[in-house]
Amino acid sequence: SEQRNAAIEADIGNHISVPLDQAAYDWAMTGQTENTTHWLIAWMRKPPLELLLSRLKEIGIEPVYVMPSSLVLANQLVFNVDCSQRICGLHIDGDLMDVVVMEEGGVMGGRSFSIGDPPNPTALWRTLKQSLAGTANPNQTDLKQVVVFQTAESLLTPEDIKRELSVSRCEVRESGTEWAQALLRGYLRNEGIFLNLLTPILHQKADARKQMRKQQVNRLIPLAAIIC
């Protein structure tokens, strides 16, 4: 209902580190028990996204769907790996790393961050460990497996990952066309996880169009009265 959605949006501001009007975000209910409802919230700062949208508009492109790359990574895990146990996915592309933690088929947390150019291994491991420590862990379970998707030779070897993250299993996969398929399958909503960071921006545009139509109608009513 609209009342429930308004209450949820009001609470979202308690879970992100910038004012709500400066964030691009979306949310979805991911599970419910007798006493608890679980929500997944994705967000990023709005100014960088608006700058990207402005540049795309200059060349005639107006996206209607922007999904966090960490959730595309989550879909990769959902489609290709057993996510019943606590598992971490990593995606390395250029100077960016996506990380997501899954358990019992749900997202426990995820983020994207720069690994530097050239990469700083010490900072990389520190940020990765902090990211993993910050994910939800309601069952207090240990990480069982790490799966790395990469587009080129990985900076992280399975041996390094096992040692640094204290896991017994690590798998490295090449990231190819499956990445685009995961994005598309999420968009079609027939499988996987779907969140659209453009949601508040699209709502603002819709509200602006409604207001414009209302103003146009208000201008036409006196004219119609004179003609009649």
Side-chain angles (χ1 to χ4, degrees):
S1 66
E2 290 187 7
Q3 185 176 5
R4 184 199 67 172
N5 291 349
I8 293 169
E9 298 232 351
D11 185 57
I12 287 175
N14 298 322
H15 302 282
I16 63 178
S17 59
V18 299
L20 206 57
D21 62 354
Q22 297 178 26
Y25 61 90
D26 198 9
W27 53 268
M29 186 175 74
T30 57
Q32 190 168 22
T33 62
E34 184 177 350
N35 301 315
T36 306
T37 302
H38 299 279
W39 302 92
L40 177 63
I41 302 170
W43 72 278
M44 68 173 290
R45 297 177 186 274
K46 189 184 291 184
L49 178 58
E50 290 179 327
L51 177 60
L52 174 61
L53 295 176
S54 175
R55 290 178 175 174
L56 289 174
K57 189 174 182 178
E58 291 175 358
I59 58 175
I61 300 174
E62 294 193 54
V64 295
Y65 170 43
V66 174
M67 185 170 180
S69 53
S70 57
L71 287 187
V72 181
L73 173 59
N75 281 340
Q76 281 277 51
L77 295 177
V78 169
F79 302 147
N80 296 289
V81 184
D82 178 10
C83 296
S84 58
Q85 294 184 314
R86 193 169 180 85
I87 183 173
C88 171
L90 302 176
H91 176 241
I92 303 169
D93 187 6
D95 65 343
L96 293 176
M97 173 180 282
D98 303 307
V99 54
V100 68
V101 175
M102 309 280 293
E103 187 174 355
E104 296 179 351
V107 177
M108 298 293 106
R111 64 172 298 195
S112 304
F113 60 90
S114 173
I115 60 177
D117 186 16
N120 182 329
T122 301
L124 186 157
W125 284 116
R126 182 175 63 250
T127 305
L128 178 55
K129 290 177 181 179
Q130 289 173 347
S131 301
L132 295 178
T135 59
N137 192 356
N139 300 323
Q140 298 299 305
T141 53
D142 295 329
L143 191 64
K144 303 298 182 184
Q145 181 181 4
V146 175
V147 180
V148 182
F149 295 90
Q150 60 186 21
T151 55
E153 184 177 352
S154 178
L155 298 170
L156 309 180
T157 67
E159 292 73 20
D160 289 339
I161 292 171
K162 290 178 182 179
R163 181 184 66 252
E164 294 288 341
L165 301 184
S166 301
V167 294
S168 58
R169 290 185 293 163
C170 178
E171 179 182 355
V172 177
R173 298 189 177 199
E174 184 177 352
S175 177
T177 57
E178 301 86 1
W179 194 256
Q181 292 171 359
L183 179 63
L184 181 61
R185 290 163 77 175
Y187 174 68
L188 294 176
R189 302 190 190 207
N190 59 342
E191 298 178 81
I193 302 156
F194 174 88
L195 289 176
N196 185 3
L197 294 181
L198 288 184
T199 296
I201 296 175
L202 294 175
H203 286 171
Q204 290 174 1
K205 289 182 177 180
D207 290 341
R209 287 194 296 267
K210 289 180 182 178
Q211 186 63 28
M212 184 179 298
R213 285 195 294 268
K214 183 177 179 180
Q215 292 173 351
Q216 290 172 342
V217 169
N218 289 339
R219 287 196 298 266
L220 288 173
I221 288 176
L223 178 61
I226 292 174
I227 292 175
C228 293

